[in-house]
Amino acid sequence: MPKLFNINKNPLIIAGPCSAESIEQMQTVTSSLQNDRRVSMIRCGVWKPRTRPGGFEGYGVKALRWIATIRKELRSPIPFCCEVAQPHHIELCQQYGIEAVWIGARTSVNPFLMNELAAALRGSGLAVMVKNPVTADTDLWQGAIERILHAGITDVAAIHRGFKVYSNSDTNPSTTNNSRYRNAPLWEIPIELKRRMPGLPLLCDPSHIGGHRQLVAAIAQRALDLHFDGLMIEVHPHPAEALTDSQQQITPDTLTSLLDNLTIRKDLDTAPAALAMLREELDELDPQLLDLLGRRMRIAQQIGEIKRENNMPIFQPGRWEEVLQRQMDLAASHGLSAEFVKEIMEKIHSESLRQQ
Ligand code: PEP
Ligand code: MN
């Protein structure tokens, strides 16, 4: 059987509702999505991980029966995937002919559960996607994927769905969340995962990152610009009436125009000459950056020695404030943003303190 997930098919599109809500909803969405040949798999949540009890927790086996019925009615059945969080979910998915499953962000965070799921998936024939854990931890995500790979599953992909970051609005609802995203994308984490596991297909879930339908297209484009291998997008026939994630789901028509407007960039076999020249320039500059940083650290060490001899504290808030402010004021004249310069200076400063 050919793999469902690979890094050559460009890009893989998975779409469908956050939750399976009725057979009619699933029939409508499946037939619309099947009409768009770019969609190669349908998603839907059957068991829903809710943050607080009392909400809609999914129709479970009843929803799996709807899917089985719909598949029988289709002439060429498109693969379906849903979320699994417990070993018995896996058995049920197999029983009802689901081709692929994903492990959600609240599950991939737990190594015990990942071991149990990996054991249940062994030999199941299911393709498996592993969403990033809710916490911004590349090792934990990689570990969850490795547990699946070590169980002998070969059709595997990672899904980037963004990270829960602390915001004041969690404790004080009157302050607004600084992040405009439901889950911060922290793109450096999926990029690092791709560096560590280059053969692993990497998909992006712009719906759960954005949390709002207006943001989905831009995040999807960003993911493709960053060389992601595909997208998982929440699509509902009537998003405003959805039982879960109603703010972020889009209609099948909106998905079609989103896909029409995506720019799919391609790698060239040989880089254009101008690009090669610019890369050479960067390759010369990068070691110079390290040279400057090394010189700065050695001076910081000498300063540390003088402070020690004179019994002075290592950290002097007034002096640090001056240095930071000066650099931030200079940022614009170098074409840099003050926030970027602040972040770099803070990293450099904390290393200086460590070395002193
Ligand atoms: C979902 O895909 O509907 C879902 C609950 O995902 P996540 O685990 O990313 O929150
Ligand atoms: Mn959802």
Side-chain angles (χ1 to χ4, degrees):
M1 256 238 313
K3 283 189 183 187
L4 293 174
F5 307 124
N6 59 64
I7 51 177
N8 304 318
K9 211 157 116 197
N10 209 359
L12 176 85
I13 307 295
I14 303 175
C18 179
S19 303
E21 299 172 1
S22 68
I23 189 159
E24 293 77 20
Q25 171 230 25
M26 288 304 297
Q27 274 161 334
T28 311
V29 84
T30 303
S31 70
S32 316
L33 292 174
Q34 264 212 313
N35 284 338
D36 193 321
R37 312 298 308 174
R38 293 166 292 192
V39 177
S40 51
M41 194 184 293
I42 308 238
R43 65 148 280 152
C44 66
V46 158
W47 297 280
K48 298 306 297 177
R50 307 314 300 277
T51 303
R52 305 202 38 207
F56 170 68
E57 294 195 331
Y59 282 109
V61 174
K62 198 161 143 191
L64 292 176
R65 281 199 203 102
W66 298 334
I67 297 170
T69 306
I70 292 170
R71 296 166 61 94
K72 273 199 216 110
E73 294 166 0
L74 297 172
R75 244 179 274 127
S76 56
I78 184 168
F80 277 76
C81 62
C82 62
E83 175 171 351
V84 292
Q86 293 178 328
H88 79 273
H89 294 161
I90 292 164
E91 243 173 76
L92 288 165
C93 284
Q94 281 176 280
Q95 209 174 310
Y96 285 91
I98 302 286
E99 281 90 348
V101 296
W102 78 83
I103 294 166
R106 293 161 195 76
T107 308
S108 61
V109 78
N110 182 337
F112 288 122
L113 209 39
M114 284 307 305
N115 278 342
E116 282 183 28
L117 293 176
L121 283 161
R122 185 183 287 278
S124 68
L126 288 163
V128 181
M129 294 170 274
V130 182
K131 286 198 171 197
N132 67 255
V134 277
T135 45
D137 184 336
T138 315
D139 285 335
L140 200 56
W141 192 7
Q142 182 178 0
I145 295 163
E146 284 167 343
R147 288 184 157 90
I148 298 299
L149 294 172
H150 293 170
I153 297 142
T154 50
D155 202 352
V156 180
I159 306 180
H160 169 230
R161 52 76 79 196
F163 302 88
K164 181 78 182 163
V165 291
Y166 171 77
S167 79
N168 261 343
S169 59
D170 286 344
T171 46
N172 179 0
S174 68
T175 58
T176 51
N177 191 336
N178 330 340
S179 158
R180 61 199 195 102
Y181 300 108
R182 177 179 180 191
N183 290 294
L186 308 181
W187 295 103
E188 61 277 19
I189 293 183
I191 288 170
E192 171 61 10
L193 186 81
K194 191 72 173 169
R195 191 189 66 79
R196 295 184 193 179
M197 309 179 99
L200 182 81
L202 174 62
L203 316 179
C204 177
D205 170 350
S207 308
H208 288 90
I209 292 175
H212 214 284
R213 52 189 142 270
Q214 272 85 329
L215 298 175
V216 174
I219 301 166
Q221 182 63 59
R222 180 89 185 133
L224 294 193
D225 292 348
L226 292 173
H227 225 295
F228 277 60
D229 303 296
L231 302 166
M232 176 189 263
I233 301 182
E234 286 191 339
V235 175
H236 190 290
H238 308 287
E241 292 156 29
L243 296 180
T244 53
D245 289 351
S246 63
Q247 302 214 5
Q248 71 197 31
Q249 304 204 56
I250 59 175
T251 62
D253 283 350
T254 308
L255 178 73
T256 299
S257 60
L258 184 156
L259 296 178
D260 288 344
N261 290 314
L262 277 181
T263 305
I264 297 165
R265 302 181 186 222
K266 293 252 180 292
D267 268 342
L268 301 176
D269 289 337
T270 48
L275 178 62
M277 272 167 64
L278 290 169
R279 282 180 171 165
E280 253 174 57
E281 246 183 272
L282 281 190
D283 290 349
E284 274 176 37
L285 280 177
D286 285 343
Q288 293 179 38
L289 280 178
L290 293 189
D291 182 49
L292 278 176
L293 283 173
R295 276 160 61 188
R296 196 187 190 286
M297 277 319 150
R298 283 189 291 281
I299 293 175
Q301 284 162 4
Q302 290 170 21
I303 290 179
E305 275 160 35
I306 297 174
K307 285 178 181 165
R308 223 182 346 271
E309 280 160 16
N310 291 282
N311 223 359
M312 290 165 71
I314 290 174
F315 176 52
Q316 287 170 325
R319 163 73 185 156
W320 166 235
E321 179 61 32
E322 245 172 64
V323 170
L324 184 61
Q325 198 53 55
R326 186 192 58 216
Q327 294 295 83
M328 286 169 68
D329 291 345
L330 281 171
S333 64
H334 292 275
L336 301 169
S337 79
E339 297 88 89
F340 172 64
V341 167
K342 180 165 185 269
E343 234 172 87
I344 292 194
M345 288 309 297
E346 283 170 348
K347 277 251 154 62
I348 293 175
H349 186 235
S350 80
E351 177 65 8
S352 289
L353 290 180
R354 197 184 63 79
Q355 295 218 7
Q356 286 185 23

